[in-house]
Amino acid sequence: MNSMDYDVVVVGSGVVGASIARLLSSYELKAAVIEKFPDACFGVSKANSGIIHGAFHHATTTLKARLELKGNMMYDQLHKELGFPFKRTGIIVAAFSSEEMKTVRLLYKQGVANGAPGIEICGSERLLNLEPGLNPDIAGGLYAPFAGVVEPYRFVFSLMESAQLNGLDFIRDFEVVRSSYDGKLHQVFSSDGRAVAASFVINAAGLYADKISEIFNGEKFKIHPRKGEEFLLDRNSPARPNNVIFPVPAKESKGMLVIPTVEGTTMIGPTSEKIDDKEDSSTTYSNMERIFLQASRMVSGISRRDVITSFSGLRPVLENEDFLIEKSQMAPAFIQVAGIQSPGLTAAPAIAEYVLEILSKDCGLKLEKKKSFIPEISRTEKIYGISPEKLDELIEKNPAYGNIVCRCEQISEAEIVDAIRKGHTTIDGIKFYTRSGMGRCQGGFCTYKILKIISRETGIPIDHITRRGNGSFITGERISGELK
Amino acid sequence: MKKKLICIICPAGCTIETETDDADLVKVSGNKCPRGAEYARKELLSPERTVTAVVPSDSEVLPFIPVRTDKAISRNLVSQLLKTIYSIKVKTPVKRGSVLIENFQASGVNVIFSRSVKN
Amino acid sequence: MIKKTYDAIIIGGGAAGLSAAWNVAKAGFSTAIIERENCLGGILNQCIHTGFGLHRFGKELSGPEYAEMDIDLVAANKVDSFINTTVFEIRSNGILKSVFASSAEGVTEFETRAVILSMGCRERNRGNLGIPGTRPSGIMTAGLAQRLLNIEGYLPGRKAVIIGSGDIGLIMARRLTWSGAIVMGVIEILPYPSGLARNIAQCLDDFEIPLYLGHTVSAINGKERVESVDVSPFKDGVPSLSGTFKIDCDTVLISAGLIPENELSVKAGVKLSNATGGPYVDSSMMTNVPGIFACGNVLHVHDLVDYVSEESENCGSAVVSYLSSDECSCTQGNISAGSNIKYIVPSKYRTGIPQKFYMRSLMPFENAMLTVKCADKILFERKLKYVRPPEMQSFTLTPEMTDGLNENSPEINVSLTEV
Ligand SMILES: Cc1cc2nc3c(=O)[nH]c(=O)nc-3n(C[C@H](O)[C@H](O)[C@H](O)COP(=O)(O)OP(=O)(O)OC[C@H]3O[C@@H](n4cnc5c(N)ncnc54)[C@H](O)[C@@H]3O)c2cc1C
Ligand SMILES: Cc1cc2nc3c(=O)[nH]c(=O)nc-3n(C[C@H](O)[C@H](O)[C@H](O)COP(=O)(O)OP(=O)(O)OC[C@H]3O[C@@H](n4cnc5c(N)ncnc54)[C@H](O)[C@@H]3O)c2cc1C
Ligand code: SF4
């Protein structure tokens, strides 16, 4: 074995790939994650509802129901070690008719069967007590106190940071296009001609898991994208519930929700729409109308005036609607982690354990705990909401804390520089890492400041800086004598 | 020939109706003040505009310095003027009001700095 | 923590803050401006076109020139200025205020008796407008594009569509064209342009840039960088998709209005008006929090900097009276918006002194009558050649006009009617 060869390579750095990566890094292995984008979490994992689900939506017989509950339970420990924003807010499913209450009873039974702790079936009085902002016409509903919300990109970044700290390699801008296998090693090739060798490959490529499977001569399946559009409301919106508010679910999706995000904003959505194009991240006018109508039915104070941005994400869905996690029957030394739709974010920590079990049991890889494993990562101080005294102390240690770059979310130059030094050198990467440009002005004020800081720290000329790689340049060229 | 113009002299933006005969303006209406009539005559015979731009500089604080023409310049000269401005690199310090380009193409129009920059 | 004491602290060194500051300082009070950017002047620094100062100086200056006039006055009147310093909190301890600001030197607590809010405004963005479509790069507010081009020298793109026909957008259409880019069109949802007619003429017509009135962008398309926009007629409050056409472009600029920047004010307990997005102020330009004043774009969005300066000078004078405790003790009455008036600022009047009011109409009228009434009594009437929502109107209420009113200062109503 060449010293550059890996024991395990994970394709994809979404929440699934990153969870697997961190777990791999706790064993005596040589492992790497390869990602086509310049940063982690630029796929499905960046555009979702950020909910740690309550384990009552899916039938006990499914793999996703099992991994959902287990994953949920693992979040406290991870949060303690990695410090990403996470809060157990609770979920309320709001029913507005006796017909809907029938479904709530079914959900309750399903939750109990799945082992969901503390789950309650509630009348209107109990619900209005828990959540005074609910529409008073409510008939009753379900309460799952142990569900929560998480900042998905911070979670993924912290997993990757931890994995790298413990020796895992993160290979960016590496789009897998081809592979070969010599009976011992996979050779994995990128679109720009680089190669990586690995004994085992894990397919965690989200929407493109079907394509990766094909590249490695694995099972033939098709990932169907199912689109969800979401709207984000200002921190000052009066519509900010304490719990995540769900409607009674429809057949294929959990319905459109009102979500108090960990960051203090309110999010409404998502829609659920089968589409063909895996790159279609568009939002539409008619869906906006639908979301606002549905959300306003449940919670008062939702106003179009408070919208700060909207986005859409695509759920990677398999025909049978369940997760597919197994050692490939067709491709050698290859593990499929496909169809990871909702509750994929919730289940990810449990998916990682499941995958490592497959590696050791089905693939015979020897797993030995790394003695030097460091579970914690360093925390960067943030200036948001801190006292003048505390800020003064921070500035004394590092004057860059005194320069407030993003005014809406109060992010200092020190935090931006920290993000850049941790490898986030695109505008989106810095935005997802620090929240700069995520507030109400959406980067109107801070974008040029961040461009200048990136350029100063990395030497990349401003007109070469991208939003998220692949030619997504922010500005055109600089004025010079040669202008037409 | 009849033509409608919008006066750009002040924010009122009057719609001015004009009538020309050969090369002379014979009738003007719609202007709320005499400056409008003067504008209409110029606009029909030889239109002029004030030009503003930024000029590259050697300053670290302000790599591009704002400049403008000190009076309106013939529209025919605008693109040449801009090309000239963009191809200069200015040495700082500069003072607001001081001249960057004197009497551009004998038009009688100067380009002046519209901001002072120490360095 | 560093501690400093001043009679008055001005937050924001744009046109408003500068004027207010030198007017307070000239009366002999110690005054400081706190500005987050690396120089004074505010938004004017990036407005390199001419058109500023016609009312105040009788000539058309560029934004930076106009700003320098006030920066010189600020220096001459011995105002201290702290640049690269951001205010993040205001606390009231009775009559005294503490203004906390951060810079590379640390946090400074400025203790003061009067605070003037002059933080300006921010731009409405794509999210606020809810424009559907994809999220490629190349979508930015017109103000950010203006900053990139006029201060940093970077062209935002090569082929642009501008959403909104506000003056900033129109000015940017010309700037882009003069910088070598192509502007494919300006899309305005209203049936009339929201910028000045002169800017339509000299920024669009001069370059044959099409203006699509009564249209909206129903989708932005493109993967990495913007590739095109879908433009649809806007009918009965919704985009009519059947009439949609595509315009190819690599850049979308959004120029769809400004919102006063009042996060700091709200945290300090200042109450905002829904109509302006800025604080309610009384006839002394004072907010509901005693000792906190406001002027400029943070109070209500202005279209002309000359009015910003005028209003801020008045605010400066009112602060001088406040600091010298020689304010007129007479009661203040409400002044309210009537027909075709979106808002009126300030929202209180006082008898016995001349006082200037600023307002905006809801819809355009050719030949309008401005009427100021108290119950049925007409205090003052004036004919106006036109009123348009994008252009602010103003009038002065003189002591003579309010002479006959009783001591309880009854409510005054202002209206615009078409004649
Ligand atoms: C609208 C919406 C709302 C959701 N809400 C929730 C929720 O509230 N709670 C919850 O638990 N789940 C939710 N989900 C589901 C959850 O987001 C996903 O299950 C999860 O993010 C999937 O993660 P992943 O790592 O499998 O995929 P991804 O994040 O897409 O990661 C795959 C990675 O592989 C990379 N890749 C692809 N092809 C290649 C290649 N050829 N070479 C190299 N790299 C490649 C991609 O760039 C990407 O970074 C939601 C999903 C959507 C769409
Ligand atoms: C993009 C744009 C284009 C315009 N074009 C024209 C035009 O062509 N002609 C015309 O007559 N008028 C124009 N105007 C209007 C006019 O110029 C402005 O209304 C005027 O300059 C506003 O002055 P201001 O002081 O209220 O705000 P600003 O100039 O915005 O100043 C506010 C200042 O406060 C600072 N600040 C904010 N918060 C803090 C804080 N917490 N701590 C420290 N500092 C802070 C900001 O950095 C800024 O410098 C334009 C306005 C804008 C926004
Ligand atoms: S004619 Fe007079 S009032 Fe009318 S726009 Fe021209 S200068 Fe202004």
Side-chain angles (χ1 to χ4, degrees):
Chain A
M1 192 165 136
N2 192 306
S3 66
M4 278 312 292
D5 300 340
Y6 293 102
D7 298 310
V8 185
V9 156
V10 183
V11 181
S13 63
V15 68
V16 172
S19 296
I20 297 170
R22 177 166 189 265
L23 197 56
L24 284 171
S25 76
S26 71
Y27 291 96
E28 294 292 351
L29 290 171
K30 227 176 130 25
V33 170
I34 51 188
E35 169 58 56
K36 67 176 175 188
F37 282 115
D39 213 331
C41 204
F42 277 14
V44 183
S45 302
K46 78 161 192 288
N48 54 55
S49 306
I51 299 167
I52 302 310
H53 283 293
F56 56 82
H57 272 113
H58 304 289
T60 314
T61 50
T62 59
L63 177 59
K64 60 183 179 182
R66 264 191 291 148
L67 295 176
E68 175 184 358
L69 178 68
K70 188 169 173 220
N72 175 316
M73 294 304 161
M74 292 168 73
Y75 264 85
D76 299 285
Q77 180 67 21
L78 286 165
H79 172 64
K80 224 168 82 197
E81 291 169 357
L82 304 173
F84 53 88
F86 164 68
K87 198 177 157 205
R88 291 205 183 269
T89 52
I91 285 179
I92 285 175
V93 179
F96 287 94
S97 65
S98 50
E99 199 54 38
E100 289 194 338
M101 275 308 281
K102 276 190 202 152
T103 315
V104 167
R105 280 194 286 275
L106 291 178
L107 288 178
Y108 175 74
K109 284 197 180 139
Q110 196 161 274
V112 171
N114 287 346
I119 192 163
E120 289 177 36
I121 186 155
C122 310
S124 60
E125 194 180 318
R126 166 86 173 129
L127 284 188
L128 287 166
N129 246 333
L130 285 166
E131 196 60 67
L134 278 176
N135 179 345
D137 290 343
I138 189 151
L142 192 77
Y143 175 48
F146 68 104
V149 287
V150 67
E151 205 174 284
Y153 15 87
R154 285 294 301 208
F155 177 47
V156 174
F157 289 152
S158 69
L159 288 166
M160 288 306 296
E161 218 170 296
S162 171
Q164 287 171 269
L165 181 72
N166 289 296
L168 177 129
D169 288 342
F170 183 28
I171 307 172
R172 303 162 194 260
D173 295 306
F174 191 109
E175 181 177 9
V176 178
V177 288
R178 200 162 55 82
S179 82
S180 63
Y181 189 66
D182 63 5
K184 261 194 185 148
L185 277 179
H186 289 282
Q187 293 290 339
V188 187
F189 300 96
S190 73
S191 52
D192 59 358
R194 282 174 288 162
V196 166
S199 310
F200 294 96
V201 170
I202 299 171
N203 176 10
L207 285 166
Y208 294 96
D210 47 2
K211 199 173 134 199
I212 294 297
S213 182
E214 196 184 311
I215 289 173
F216 285 85
N217 299 316
E219 285 74 6
K220 288 200 172 30
F221 51 78
K222 203 167 152 24
I223 301 283
H224 304 276
R226 196 152 69 210
K227 186 156 85 174
E229 298 178 27
E230 317 234 22
F231 287 80
L232 207 58
L233 309 181
D234 196 285
R235 284 179 190 288
N236 296 336
S237 161
R240 191 175 152 78
N242 308 316
N243 298 269
V244 181
I245 313 294
F246 279 66
V248 171
K251 233 194 253 130
E252 270 182 351
S253 83
K254 302 184 177 83
M256 289 178 247
L257 338 169
V258 183
I259 307 156
T261 69
V262 227
E263 304 90 50
T265 52
T266 300
M267 189 152 79
I268 57 176
T271 51
S272 178
E273 193 183 352
K274 281 188 176 139
I275 58 165
D276 296 323
D277 181 1
K278 289 180 181 174
E279 295 295 322
D280 175 3
S281 65
S282 64
T283 52
T284 60
Y285 194 83
S286 54
N287 280 335
M288 172 166 84
E289 305 263 281
R290 280 180 50 219
I291 293 177
F292 273 85
L293 205 74
Q294 258 247 16
S296 309
R297 207 175 67 112
M298 301 193 294
V299 175
S300 61
I302 291 174
S303 161
R304 296 262 282 266
R305 251 176 95 132
D306 289 324
V307 176
I308 53 178
T309 189
S310 58
F311 61 86
S312 75
L314 306 179
R315 306 170 182 85
V317 179
L318 280 172
E319 205 68 63
N320 71 356
E321 294 283 338
D322 206 355
F323 296 167
L324 167 73
I325 309 174
E326 60 187 30
K327 178 175 181 293
S328 172
Q329 309 294 318
M330 292 171 68
F334 185 74
I335 298 175
Q336 304 280 17
V337 190
I340 312 298
Q341 56 160 312
S342 184
L345 180 62
T346 313
I351 293 176
E353 290 204 336
Y354 195 79
V355 167
L356 264 85
E357 235 176 83
I358 295 175
L359 267 178
S360 96
K361 289 210 182 106
D362 303 350
C363 305
L365 184 69
K366 217 176 102 233
L367 293 179
E368 190 188 323
K369 273 278 173 200
K370 206 181 260 173
K371 287 202 189 68
S372 59
F373 180 72
I374 308 163
E376 286 83 20
I377 53 172
S378 68
R379 312 271 170 96
T380 313
E381 298 273 7
K382 298 183 152 287
I383 63 165
Y384 183 81
I386 68 173
S387 69
E389 292 75 16
K390 186 86 211 297
L391 179 58
D392 196 48
E393 278 170 31
L394 285 179
I395 300 172
E396 199 171 330
K397 276 186 263 167
N398 178 0
Y401 273 110
N403 179 14
I404 300 173
V405 173
C406 166
R407 57 169 90 164
C408 310
E409 296 291 314
Q410 286 206 11
I411 293 146
S412 64
E413 182 177 336
E415 291 156 73
I416 307 280
V417 170
D418 170 64
I420 296 169
R421 298 204 175 142
K422 288 192 171 134
H424 307 287
T425 55
T426 61
I427 289 286
D428 270 3
I430 291 172
K431 170 170 142 182
F432 291 131
Y433 191 79
T434 64
R435 293 191 56 71
S436 61
M438 278 202 178
R440 54 181 71 86
C441 93
Q442 289 288 303
F445 285 114
C446 59
T447 300
Y448 76 89
K449 294 189 181 179
I450 295 173
L451 287 173
K452 281 177 149 176
I453 299 173
I454 298 177
S455 185
R456 183 193 70 203
E457 291 290 315
T458 63
I460 306 172
I462 284 181
D463 49 358
H464 283 59
I465 297 170
T466 63
R467 177 154 172 200
R468 49 168 174 257
N470 286 336
S472 57
F473 299 110
I474 305 292
T475 78
E477 72 268 49
R478 206 165 199 187
I479 289 180
S480 70
E482 291 108 66
L483 268 171
K484 279 171 258 155
Chain B
M1 201 176 64
K2 289 187 180 175
K3 204 172 168 191
K4 262 193 193 170
L5 296 175
I6 288 170
C7 177
I8 62 169
I9 301 300
C10 90
C14 299
T15 305
I16 307 181
E17 311 230 1
T18 63
E19 220 178 298
T20 42
D21 179 6
D22 291 330
D24 213 17
L25 190 65
V26 292
K27 219 168 124 195
V28 194
S29 62
N31 51 317
K32 288 179 177 153
C33 85
R35 284 187 300 164
E38 181 50 33
Y39 168 76
R41 176 180 313 277
K42 271 233 170 100
E43 186 64 11
L44 291 171
L45 304 178
S46 62
E48 292 179 346
R49 295 288 182 268
T50 298
V51 173
T52 57
V54 287
V55 60
S57 87
D58 64 355
S59 162
E60 297 228 326
V61 195
L62 203 66
F64 290 82
I65 303 174
V67 296
R68 66 172 172 94
T69 55
D70 59 355
K71 45 181 147 336
I73 187 168
S74 165
R75 276 186 69 179
N76 299 330
L77 288 175
V78 172
S79 57
Q80 265 183 60
L81 175 63
L82 286 167
K83 238 189 217 149
T84 312
I85 293 173
Y86 294 143
S87 63
I88 301 173
K89 187 144 184 171
V90 167
K91 263 186 105 72
T92 49
V94 300
K95 238 192 118 30
R96 160 170 55 98
S98 61
V99 175
L100 169 69
I101 302 172
E102 206 174 329
N103 191 11
F104 182 71
Q105 305 248 338
S107 60
V109 178
N110 302 321
V111 175
I112 59 172
F113 290 104
S114 74
R115 181 170 178 178
S116 308
V117 182
K118 291 207 182 78
N119 53 50
Chain C
M1 200 150 50
I2 313 159
K3 216 165 170 169
K4 292 196 154 77
T5 307
Y6 286 93
D7 292 322
I9 288 293
I10 285 94
I11 309 176
L18 292 168
S19 277
W22 65 259
N23 276 282
V24 175
K26 138 184 124 177
F29 291 103
S30 63
T31 308
I33 299 179
I34 306 174
E35 168 57 52
R36 124 181 87 200
E37 297 292 323
N38 63 2
C39 61
L40 296 175
I43 208 81
L44 287 172
N45 286 324
Q46 67 185 55
C47 301
I48 65 159
H49 58 281
T50 56
F52 301 82
L54 204 60
H55 292 267
R56 186 168 163 209
F57 301 111
K59 47 186 170 185
E60 296 220 22
L61 304 171
S62 73
E65 281 174 303
Y66 187 102
E68 257 183 65
M69 303 281 200
D70 279 316
I71 292 171
D72 291 349
L73 282 165
V74 156
N77 284 288
K78 309 226 158 13
V79 175
D80 285 349
S81 45
F82 298 86
I83 55 168
N84 293 318
T85 307
T86 306
V87 174
F88 61 93
E89 196 173 324
I90 307 168
R91 282 186 204 160
S92 289
N93 332 308
I95 186 152
L96 281 184
K97 309 270 172 285
S98 284
V99 173
F100 293 92
S102 89
S103 72
E105 275 83 61
V107 174
T108 307
E109 178 180 354
F110 292 90
E111 208 176 54
T112 185
R113 282 194 289 150
V115 173
I116 301 181
L117 307 173
S118 52
M119 290 93 72
C121 54
R122 75 183 132 87
E123 299 175 274
R124 297 223 296 155
N125 54 46
R126 181 203 184 168
N128 301 140
L129 300 178
I131 301 168
T134 58
R135 270 153 303 283
S137 74
I139 307 167
M140 61 182 95
T141 60
L144 174 58
Q146 191 175 47
R147 158 107 216 175
L148 282 172
L149 191 50
N150 291 350
I151 299 202
E152 319 292 347
Y154 288 97
L155 209 56
R158 288 238 141 247
K159 224 174 174 192
V161 161
I162 298 174
I163 301 180
S165 63
D167 285 313
I168 308 169
L170 299 178
I171 300 278
M172 279 312 291
R174 178 177 60 188
R175 172 101 280 124
L176 285 172
T177 313
W178 276 353
S179 305
I182 303 167
V183 178
M184 305 297 289
V186 174
I187 322 294
E188 171 59 57
I189 199 164
L190 295 173
Y192 51 86
S194 49
L196 297 174
R198 68 193 300 223
N199 285 337
I200 305 280
Q202 61 185 341
C203 299
L204 301 188
D205 298 350
D206 271 9
F207 312 105
E208 291 163 16
I209 297 170
L211 170 62
Y212 300 94
L213 294 174
H215 280 72
T216 186
V217 169
S218 51
I220 296 177
N221 312 308
K223 202 173 149 234
E224 307 305 344
R225 180 87 197 184
V226 175
E227 287 158 22
S228 68
V229 292
D230 291 353
V231 179
S232 311
F234 195 73
K235 282 192 193 130
D236 310 318
V238 286
S240 141
L241 296 180
S242 58
T244 302
F245 56 96
K246 254 192 183 20
I247 301 181
D248 286 341
C249 56
D250 65 10
T251 304
V252 176
L253 299 192
I254 295 170
S255 166
L258 305 167
I259 306 171
E261 173 92 343
N262 274 296
E263 283 66 42
L264 198 57
S265 330
V266 171
K267 271 204 286 177
V270 170
K271 285 208 174 69
L272 304 187
S273 144
N274 248 337
T276 58
Y280 284 110
V281 289
D282 67 10
S283 65
S284 307
M285 310 297 284
M286 188 155 84
T287 67
N288 63 302
V289 181
I292 301 187
F293 299 76
C295 57
N297 276 351
V298 80
L299 180 57
H300 58 129
V301 173
H302 297 62
D303 40 286
L304 275 186
V305 71
D306 303 67
Y307 288 138
V308 170
S309 302
E310 182 185 69
E311 178 183 280
S312 308
E313 283 184 37
N314 293 340
C315 180
S317 312
V319 169
V320 169
S321 305
Y322 174 83
L323 290 171
S324 344
S325 319
D326 66 353
E327 291 168 288
C328 146
S329 59
C330 47
T331 55
Q332 299 194 27
N334 288 330
I335 183 159
S336 64
S339 168
N340 197 22
I341 296 208
K342 186 172 177 212
Y343 67 76
I344 178 152
V345 172
S347 51
K348 300 238 184 240
Y349 75 94
R350 185 177 279 177
T351 52
I353 47 160
Q355 200 188 331
K356 187 118 188 199
F357 290 91
Y358 304 90
M359 63 207 179
R360 252 175 224 284
S361 65
L362 288 162
M363 60 180 287
F365 283 168
E366 289 303 317
N367 296 311
M369 182 68 86
L370 167 70
T371 313
V372 181
K373 279 203 316 202
C374 180
D376 286 337
K377 188 176 168 212
I378 294 181
L379 306 180
F380 155 67
E381 261 186 332
R382 184 162 82 207
K383 266 203 177 136
L384 302 170
K385 282 191 257 187
Y386 62 87
V387 292
R388 291 166 199 159
E391 288 175 56
M392 210 165 69
Q393 298 290 334
S394 67
F395 69 90
T396 303
L397 195 67
T398 63
E400 294 76 50
M401 294 175 193
T402 51
D403 199 20
L405 300 185
N406 71 35
E407 275 147 40
N408 304 332
S409 300
E411 178 160 314
I412 289 182
N413 181 277
V414 185
S415 63
L416 284 166
T417 41
E418 198 158 23
V419 289

